[in-house]
Amino acid sequence: MGGLGPPPLIVRRALRLVWPVLAAITTLACLPLLVVGAIWSLVDRRARLFRATGLVLLGVWLDVQLLVGCWRLWLADPRGQSPTWRRDHEELLVRVLDTAMRLGRKWVGLDVRLDTVMDFGDPQRPLIAFARHAGPADSLAVAWLLSRTAGRLPRIVLADALRWDPGIDLILTRLGSAFVPSASGAGDDRISGVRRLADTLDPRDALLIFPEGENWTPARRRRLIDRLRQAGHHARARQAELLRNVLPPKTKGAIATLTARPDADVMIVAHAGLGELAGPRAIFDAIPFQQPFLVHTWTYLADQVPRDPAAIEAWLTARWSEIDAWVEGHE
């Protein structure tokens, strides 16, 4: 979704009103495809068309569930002043995430597993999680894992193009996540949103950031290396070439969060199993997934993480090399 900006506020509000109707129209339009997929499953025993179509429809209606749930909470408390306002929205989102992961496992074999026991640091300090970004539904899986394993529903930094999704837009806005500009040349606006989130973290909060900025794919890796060479950044191009399974992390957001919150512990999140599924065709061909979504984490206490900008950049680059090596052995 790189380069796609958010809709104007009036369009966002209109989408929230018409989205259930659009979901119903989408469902009616997909019913013939669902029937064809069911019949074709007699030939394709993996039932890929049937599974993929069904999963899309389930995703659409889960988003409607988020939207309707937010409406109900607003009707019960139009001013949002209830002491349980935030907790009610968190519970709504976790319920939908639970359903999404359960249906993902049933329909396409999305099986999230831990490679090691997750260490969440000091429970009385905020947690900043820097995660690899690759493969289908990885942000969904990592957010769900943090909420269910740590009991910390993360506040997420994500592209503002996702405001086109009415359910995600409404609930994550109410929960204080940051929608940062996805267009190039918006660095200052990106950092201000990230810094705002870091500044407002409570001791039990978690902040989830994907430093690569976009899903890793072989094509994106090649384009990035070519751009760096053309711009004369030969050292950075050589560094990017050494990373085979990840994109080099963009460090400005990490520097903003780690300098703003020197009290925060840090988790590095790697995952493997589905990262090679780099496009719709590859995902469709792999359904149902035969490999689990395997997650490995490294946790550093606050006093183990540098806070000087130059040291943060070197530190995060080293962590991304470790992620790359781990993925190489498990993808």
Side-chain angles (χ1 to χ4, degrees), residues 119-122 125-131 146 152 154-155 157 194-195 197-199 201-211 253-269 298-302 305 307 312 315-316:
D119 176 6
F120 297 99
D122 188 333
R125 288 201 296 255
L127 179 72
I128 298 173
F130 296 115
L146 284 172
R152 300 191 189 196
R155 300 168 74 177
V157 178
V194 173
R195 187 178 291 111
L197 273 190
D199 287 338
L201 289 177
D202 292 329
R204 291 286 302 165
D205 280 342
L207 175 59
L208 177 58
I209 301 177
F210 298 89
I255 291 171
T257 55
L258 294 179
T259 54
R261 296 308 301 258
D263 59 324
D265 296 331
V266 177
M267 175 183 285
I268 304 297
V269 184
W298 298 263
T299 301
Y300 301 86
L301 299 180
V305 181
R307 305 294 165 168
I312 291 172
W315 183 84
L316 191 64

Side-chain angles (χ1 to χ4, degrees), residues 102-123:
R102 184 174 67 252
L103 293 174
R105 187 181 304 112
K106 179 178 180 179
W107 279 79
V108 295
L110 180 59
D111 182 15
V112 180
R113 299 183 189 178
L114 282 171
D115 182 45
T116 58
V117 176
M118 297 179 82
D119 176 6
F120 297 99
D122 188 333

Side-chain angles (χ1 to χ4, degrees), residues 242-246 270 298 318-331:
L242 294 175
L243 301 174
R244 298 176 55 85
N245 307 284
V246 295
W298 298 263
R319 302 291 77 77
W320 241 247
S321 295
E322 292 172 355
I323 291 178
D324 185 63
W326 182 85
V327 173
E328 186 71 25
H330 293 83
E331 190 66 83

Side-chain angles (χ1 to χ4, degrees), residues 232-246:
H233 302 305
H234 300 295
R236 292 177 60 193
R238 287 192 296 270
Q239 178 192 17
E241 286 180 321
L242 294 175
L243 301 174
R244 298 176 55 85
N245 307 284
V246 295

Side-chain angles (χ1 to χ4, degrees), residues 132-136 138 215-218 245 271-279 282-283 291-294 327 330-331:
R132 181 199 185 203
H133 205 6
D138 68 323
N215 264 27
W216 172 92
T217 68
N245 307 284
H271 57 80
L274 304 180
E276 294 290 341
L277 305 181
I283 295 171
Q291 298 295 327
F293 184 92
L294 187 65
V327 173
H330 293 83
E331 190 66 83

